[in-house]
Amino acid sequence: MTANQSTALYIHIPFCRLKCSYCDFNTYAGMDALIPIYVDAICDEIRHYQGDSEIYIETIFFGGGTPSLLSSELLAKIFTSINRTFKLQSDLEITLEANPGTLTKPYLDSLISLGFNRISIGAQSAITDELQLLDRLHTFNHVIESFKYATSAGFHQINLDLLYGLPNQTESSWQDTLSQVVDLRPQHLSLYALSLENGTPMLARASSGTIPTPDQDTVTNMYEHAETFLALHNYTQYEVCNWTKTSNYHECQHNLRYWLNLPYIGIGAGAHSWYKQHRYTNTKLPYHYIQRINSNPDKHPLATHPGTQATIQSTLIDDETEMNETMMLGLHLLVNGVSYRDFEKRFGTKLEHQYKRTLSHLEDKGLIQIGSTNVRLTSSGRLLANRVFSEFV
Ligand code: SF4
């Protein structure tokens, strides 16, 4: 990355009211007492970048966990550090992930005053039984309420996250969720297939037969149904799991940067960064993170630059790996795909030559479409996206 190149900023808030049964994210319940000193550590970690040449921030994303557990005063404290450390682009996108039931109108008003202009609400389902099975604390009425508060506070960019492929979920209940969600007319939707992860209570229950595991055909039908239904309701699918309203077309700029394999700086426990040709990772546990940030720098000298005292692992990315990652990430983008021109400009080599055999193999299988300006997934490729991506690992 050259001086003055823009980057994204991700801030991880690893606290939740309750750990959901399916969740394997780096997040913890019952640690709220740590929040104020965790925020202080975040501010210190941000200040670590003060020594770098000018860094222009294009997007800021508060993810978690449940960032909406932070009071507006604590969020303001983080913004003070951000403003003192980085240059901010004028059309900055600032997103907060939030859980329904944690949002009030005054809180949303304060977010707007702080500069937030995008909110991502973890709706997951409109069906009460499904939300309970996931151990979610909210009902769909909370989603409706949060959505209305956010709209009246002035948020134009509102995303709703949904999950499909849940135990006991039927194609009909999924249809019901989609219908109720579309009635709210959110600007953006993210749809994820539930993945049963090691170490989660939900996997243990599925393995013991207490709850049925959804079969792959049903999950595929749900995805295909969503594609058709959302297209009918004027949503454009621009990424494997993401849709924007066609009439108010606006991709999530922060995630778009990930798919374009552009730099980002991750702050907080377990946060990942892709910056100055390195991918590096912070220590995961909030308490360890706070300890490392507060410790004497001599105790945790940086293994490499870039990184901070919280960094525990760092890898220098060579050109070939960066090219592969650019292909794998860029193919997530269904409208833009990977552009030949951008690839050649970035790497000084032609995509068509670099991946000649792989592209021809995937095209023969009907999984990608090789166009005149870009290469992208076909509709069959979307269903087998992970198989396509694995060709570039
Ligand atoms: S609210 Fe989200 S981050 Fe928190 S435990 Fe549930 S799924 Fe995980």
Side-chain angles (χ1 to χ4, degrees):
M1 183 176 128
T2 55
N4 294 350
Q5 190 179 331
S6 66
T7 186
L9 187 63
Y10 173 81
I11 297 178
H12 190 68
I13 307 298
F15 305 104
C16 286
R17 285 266 176 264
L18 183 78
K19 185 84 176 177
C20 300
S21 59
Y22 61 99
C23 180
D24 77 331
F25 298 153
N26 184 34
T27 184
Y28 307 86
M31 287 197 191
D32 289 13
L34 281 185
I35 290 178
I37 52 170
Y38 181 80
V39 166
D40 287 341
I42 277 187
C43 294
D44 284 345
E45 193 185 11
I46 290 169
R47 281 192 285 272
H48 170 90
Y49 288 90
Q50 259 167 358
D52 278 25
S53 53
E54 287 186 342
I55 304 173
Y56 280 82
I57 299 294
E58 207 169 76
T59 62
I60 304 175
F61 195 104
F62 287 75
T66 309
S68 51
L69 289 180
L70 263 56
S71 65
S72 49
E73 290 75 21
L74 289 176
L75 289 169
K77 204 170 183 180
I78 297 174
F79 275 112
T80 301
S81 292
I82 291 173
N83 281 309
R84 285 184 183 152
T85 304
F86 303 114
K87 302 267 181 234
L88 305 182
Q89 302 272 32
S90 53
D91 54 350
L92 186 71
E93 176 191 270
I94 313 180
T95 303
L96 183 97
E97 279 187 337
N99 277 329
T102 61
L103 296 172
T104 62
K105 174 69 168 52
Y107 183 72
L108 287 155
D109 288 339
S110 69
L111 294 182
I112 291 280
S113 304
L114 286 168
F116 284 94
N117 49 22
R118 188 171 184 278
I119 192 151
S120 179
I121 300 174
Q124 315 311 355
S125 169
I127 311 299
T128 305
D129 287 352
E130 293 174 5
L131 289 170
Q132 284 176 351
L133 190 72
L134 295 170
D135 287 341
R136 302 296 301 210
L137 292 170
H138 67 270
T139 64
F140 195 64
N141 280 339
H142 288 121
V143 176
I144 296 171
E145 183 185 76
S146 300
F147 189 88
K148 288 187 174 156
Y149 287 159
T151 305
S152 70
F155 281 96
H156 302 297
Q157 308 293 331
I158 304 178
N159 171 61
L160 295 181
D161 276 347
L162 296 178
L163 279 173
Y164 61 96
L166 309 177
N168 290 333
Q169 189 180 36
T170 62
E171 289 179 47
S172 151
S173 73
W174 173 233
Q175 164 65 65
D176 196 7
T177 287
L178 287 172
S179 301
Q180 292 195 56
V181 162
V182 160
D183 281 349
L184 292 173
R185 299 176 214 256
Q187 188 276 328
H188 192 282
L189 286 167
S190 298
L191 274 47
Y192 301 106
L194 178 74
S195 164
L196 295 175
E197 301 293 344
N198 282 334
T200 59
M202 186 165 276
L203 177 64
R205 286 157 76 188
S207 306
S208 68
T210 321
I211 49 171
T213 319
D215 69 86
Q216 192 50 48
D217 285 348
T218 306
V219 177
T220 303
N221 288 347
M222 288 177 176
Y223 182 70
E224 289 184 313
H225 174 73
E227 288 189 315
T228 311
F229 181 79
L230 293 176
L232 273 174
H233 287 79
N234 298 315
Y235 282 87
T236 299
Q237 186 180 11
Y238 70 94
E239 195 270 341
V240 177
C241 305
N242 286 279
W243 281 256
T244 169
K245 263 194 158 184
T246 310
S247 57
N248 181 14
Y249 192 96
H250 194 85
E251 302 124 325
C252 170
Q253 296 302 298
H254 186 84
N255 288 340
L256 193 58
R257 293 184 59 93
Y258 288 143
W259 296 312
L260 292 172
N261 202 15
L262 296 173
Y264 55 88
I265 292 171
I267 301 286
H272 299 271
S273 301
W274 163 225
Y275 180 61
K276 291 194 170 171
Q277 213 53 39
H278 286 73
R279 290 198 182 273
Y280 52 96
T281 309
N282 282 352
T283 189
K284 267 182 91 173
L285 294 173
Y287 191 67
H288 287 170
Y289 169 77
I290 294 164
Q291 269 188 330
R292 284 185 75 108
I293 291 287
N294 289 330
S295 65
N296 183 331
D298 296 339
K299 196 169 167 204
H300 297 296
L302 300 182
T304 54
H305 185 75
T308 69
Q309 270 174 258
T311 305
I312 51 165
Q313 197 267 333
S314 177
T315 309
L316 174 66
I317 301 298
D318 60 30
D319 283 353
E320 190 183 340
T321 306
E322 187 180 342
M323 277 190 240
N324 291 343
E325 289 174 346
T326 300
M327 290 302 296
M328 190 180 69
L329 292 166
L331 282 170
H332 283 72
L333 294 169
L334 303 180
V335 177
N336 299 336
V338 185
S339 144
Y340 302 132
R341 198 187 56 189
D342 291 351
F343 189 94
E344 187 172 357
K345 196 169 155 203
R346 179 166 177 170
F347 297 109
T349 183
K350 286 188 185 296
L351 183 166
E352 314 87 292
H353 295 165
Q354 183 73 21
Y355 294 104
K356 196 166 181 223
R357 280 182 50 197
T358 308
L359 293 179
S360 124
H361 163 71
L362 290 170
E363 189 184 34
D364 288 348
K365 298 237 174 257
L367 300 176
I368 59 163
Q369 181 187 331
I370 300 179
S372 56
T373 58
N374 64 13
V375 51
R376 48 190 182 142
L377 291 179
T378 59
S379 44
S380 310
R382 286 174 207 182
L383 297 175
L384 297 170
N386 286 336
R387 195 171 128 197
V388 175
F389 303 150
S390 69
E391 296 282 339
F392 298 94
V393 173

